[in-house]
Amino acid sequence: MAEKPQVLRETDDAARKLARLVFREQRSAAIGVLEPVSDGFPFVSRALLGFDIDAVPIILASQLATHTQALLADARCSVLAGRSGKGDPLAHARITVQCRAEPIARTDLRHARLRERFLRRHPKAQLYIDFPDFLFFRLNPLRASFNAGFGRAYALTGDDLLISSAAMEAIAAAEHALLAELNSNKDALSYFLGEERSDVTPAWQVTAVDAEGIDLVQGDAFRRADFPREVENPDDVRAMFVKLYR
Amino acid sequence: MAEKPQVLRETDDAARKLARLVFREQRSAAIGVLEPVSDGFPFVSRALLGFDIDAVPIILASQLATHTQALLADARCSVLAGRSGKGDPLAHARITVQCRAEPIARTDLRHARLRERFLRRHPKAQLYIDFPDFLFFRLNPLRASFNAGFGRAYALTGDDLLISSAAMEAIAAAEHALLAELNSNKDALSYFLGEERSDVTPAWQVTAVDAEGIDLVQGDAFRRADFPREVENPDDVRAMFVKLYR
């Protein structure tokens, strides 16, 4: 029923926020591309999903893989990511994002940031992330279709999914230091996790900081904590943290 | 790592059998199509997955849905279905099947069969399966790419996924009666489930019979029991059952 776009609801902030969460919390996604060797036949495969500091989804793929060859020939792609679990698969929220893929060379200034963010989300990728044939793509969102369950479908713009902030580059430059500070601050972590300090195990780690909030990961579990307002610079993140959890 | 097709293994019977199981046991899949309104931009969405008696995957979709409009304009599509669970998503087996979609009108002789098979697998589809705008597609497999986990990639033909049998139509015609007989035979069910007779709850149901075996479903759980040899007619199914479980 997923599939009744005539009952599109108006896209409000609550839908936008849920769509972003459902997207960001997934560890993998189905990526649909146009296969060059078969004249553009669709090809869908599974890929690990990461996010850049502006919330653009990122994937890492071998240049020998079908979807890499496809994206280098035609940048148009579609990403499906969503929740699953017991019961009807169509009752679980999922999002389709149509994107234009941009390969990120190792010489690109953003490469180190993508590499670190991806590794923090997918530590096992350490085994192959530096293989010479592996390549990052930023999948720049053009538009999206969010389905929160039966009869709850919404159309989103690409911008609805993105984080736009004048402080982005400054936060990116400070992210490593911010993470170290946040991860050693058990009071703050317990606040953001909504758990007693004594229950916050060291396994919970802040894996990403951006102008709108932080990602927290423990094994397969994911939490997003949005700041009450957009931060303006790295010190503002620190101030926000102290202010919030105290 | 999924994505190193240069390390394709030779497709043997064990890989073929596992690929078919991984495909068939999924309740839903990601369907990639070419969106007509955007000049063939890929679009991937979630759909419930069923199987016809010849193992051709089937989907049910509203004619108003993006993927239905796409498949009616260009029949080329790709289906990604696979296991998920704890740990690295790329360690779990999944299969990409490239297919040519064939809409099945209500006047088609196969429609009743598709409808019954789909409903047995997805009872909740009863709510909308007969809506006038809903349409079945058989997604005829052309080729597939099976990934059983790191470094275990195989190429398959469409035929590798199909069940070809001279007895197909006869078994299809007798399927309803066979299911009633099998589902009332707790001894046989306990044999196929590998469980003690007393542990076989009525919730386990045989939902499909074909020339090569049966599907068993209990809520979200799925089992496939392959016959030791292909059956030649409906009575052969009955004989096989009696012979096997006794």
Side-chain angles (χ1 to χ4, degrees):
Chain A
M1 294 281 270
E3 314 310 347
K4 296 203 110 186
Q6 78 280 20
V7 289
L8 275 182
R9 295 195 180 188
E10 195 185 343
T11 306
D12 55 16
D13 282 347
R16 219 171 271 119
K17 184 176 167 140
L18 182 58
R20 292 161 75 125
L21 175 64
V22 166
F23 195 25
R24 181 175 278 263
E25 71 189 4
Q26 304 311 317
R27 295 180 299 146
S28 68
I31 315 281
V33 298
L34 305 172
E35 191 183 53
V37 295
S38 57
D39 194 27
F41 210 106
F43 185 91
V44 183
S45 57
R46 184 181 289 177
L48 296 180
L49 192 60
F51 288 91
D52 199 357
I53 197 155
D54 54 0
V56 166
I58 55 177
I59 60 168
L60 171 70
S62 164
Q63 300 218 26
L64 301 159
T66 300
H67 65 275
T68 312
Q69 287 306 310
L71 292 176
L72 292 174
D74 189 328
R76 296 178 295 167
C77 62
S78 176
V79 178
L80 168 67
R83 294 174 175 170
S84 56
K86 286 188 184 293
D88 191 333
L90 299 189
H92 296 282
R94 67 275 184 193
I95 184 167
T96 295
V97 189
Q98 287 178 307
C99 308
R100 194 165 287 280
E102 175 191 8
I104 305 294
R106 279 182 169 68
T107 51
D108 191 299
L109 289 176
R110 296 166 295 181
H111 186 273
R113 178 174 91 206
L114 262 58
R115 185 180 175 284
E116 286 199 12
R117 289 181 73 92
F118 196 84
L119 269 182
R120 285 196 299 268
R121 186 74 174 108
H122 304 289
K124 285 188 184 158
Q126 183 77 57
L127 292 169
Y128 50 87
I129 199 166
D130 294 322
F131 284 1
D133 62 305
F134 273 71
L135 182 66
F136 275 110
F137 288 94
R138 273 169 54 97
L139 306 180
N140 298 295
L142 303 177
R143 55 190 169 272
S145 166
F146 176 55
N147 194 310
F150 294 111
R152 294 174 61 199
Y154 303 87
L156 280 82
T157 66
D159 284 346
D160 282 337
L161 296 171
L162 298 182
I163 294 169
S164 160
S165 161
M168 198 166 67
E169 291 302 329
I171 294 171
E175 194 179 16
H176 202 80
L178 285 170
L179 287 169
E181 293 168 43
L182 303 182
N183 279 317
S184 61
N185 186 335
K186 292 296 170 212
D187 289 322
L189 289 184
S190 82
Y191 171 84
F192 282 106
L193 292 166
E195 291 177 8
E196 292 299 315
R197 193 185 189 286
S198 56
D199 294 338
V200 177
T201 67
W204 274 105
Q205 290 282 311
V206 182
T207 58
V209 184
D210 55 59
E212 293 190 359
I214 58 173
D215 293 352
L216 297 121
V217 169
Q218 181 195 44
D220 294 347
F222 176 91
R223 304 266 189 93
R224 170 76 182 177
D226 286 324
F227 300 138
R229 62 163 176 81
E230 212 179 274
V231 296
E232 285 165 21
N233 55 55
D235 278 340
D236 207 11
V237 174
R238 295 178 174 103
M240 185 81 72
F241 246 71
V242 171
K243 203 161 137 191
L244 277 175
Y245 79 82
R246 269 188 185 156
Chain B
M1 294 278 273
E3 313 311 345
K4 296 203 108 185
Q6 79 280 21
V7 291
L8 275 182
R9 295 196 179 186
E10 195 185 342
T11 307
D12 55 15
D13 282 347
R16 219 171 273 121
K17 184 177 167 135
L18 182 58
R20 292 161 76 126
L21 176 63
V22 166
F23 195 25
R24 180 175 280 263
E25 72 188 5
Q26 305 310 319
R27 295 179 299 146
S28 69
I31 315 282
V33 298
L34 305 172
E35 192 184 53
V37 295
S38 57
D39 194 28
F41 210 106
F43 186 91
V44 183
S45 57
R46 185 180 288 177
L48 297 180
L49 191 61
F51 289 91
D52 199 358
I53 196 155
D54 54 0
V56 166
I58 55 178
I59 59 168
L60 171 70
S62 163
Q63 299 217 27
L64 302 160
T66 300
H67 65 276
T68 311
Q69 287 306 309
L71 291 176
L72 293 174
D74 189 328
R76 296 177 295 168
C77 62
S78 176
V79 178
L80 168 66
R83 294 173 175 170
S84 57
K86 286 187 184 295
D88 192 333
L90 300 188
H92 296 282
R94 68 273 183 196
I95 185 168
T96 294
V97 188
Q98 287 178 308
C99 308
R100 194 165 286 279
E102 176 192 7
I104 305 293
R106 279 181 167 71
T107 51
D108 191 299
L109 289 176
R110 295 166 296 181
H111 186 273
R113 178 174 90 208
L114 263 59
R115 185 180 175 284
E116 287 201 8
R117 291 182 71 93
F118 196 85
L119 270 182
R120 285 195 299 267
R121 187 74 174 106
H122 304 288
K124 286 188 184 159
Q126 181 78 57
L127 292 170
Y128 49 87
I129 199 166
D130 295 321
F131 284 1
D133 61 306
F134 273 71
L135 181 66
F136 275 111
F137 288 93
R138 273 169 52 98
L139 306 180
N140 298 294
L142 303 176
R143 56 192 169 270
S145 166
F146 175 55
N147 194 310
F150 294 111
R152 294 174 63 200
Y154 304 87
L156 279 82
T157 65
D159 285 346
D160 282 338
L161 296 172
L162 298 181
I163 294 170
S164 160
S165 161
M168 199 165 69
E169 291 301 330
I171 293 171
E175 195 180 15
H176 202 80
L178 285 169
L179 287 169
E181 294 169 41
L182 302 182
N183 279 318
S184 62
N185 186 336
K186 292 294 170 214
D187 289 321
L189 289 183
S190 81
Y191 171 85
F192 282 106
L193 292 166
E195 292 177 6
E196 292 299 314
R197 192 184 189 288
S198 55
D199 294 338
V200 177
T201 67
W204 274 106
Q205 290 283 309
V206 182
T207 57
V209 185
D210 55 59
E212 293 189 359
I214 58 174
D215 293 353
L216 297 122
V217 169
Q218 181 195 42
D220 294 347
F222 177 91
R223 303 266 189 94
R224 171 74 181 176
D226 285 324
F227 300 136
R229 64 165 175 80
E230 210 178 274
V231 296
E232 286 163 21
N233 55 57
D235 278 339
D236 207 11
V237 175
R238 296 177 173 104
M240 185 81 73
F241 244 72
V242 171
K243 204 161 135 190
L244 279 173
Y245 80 81
R246 270 189 181 154

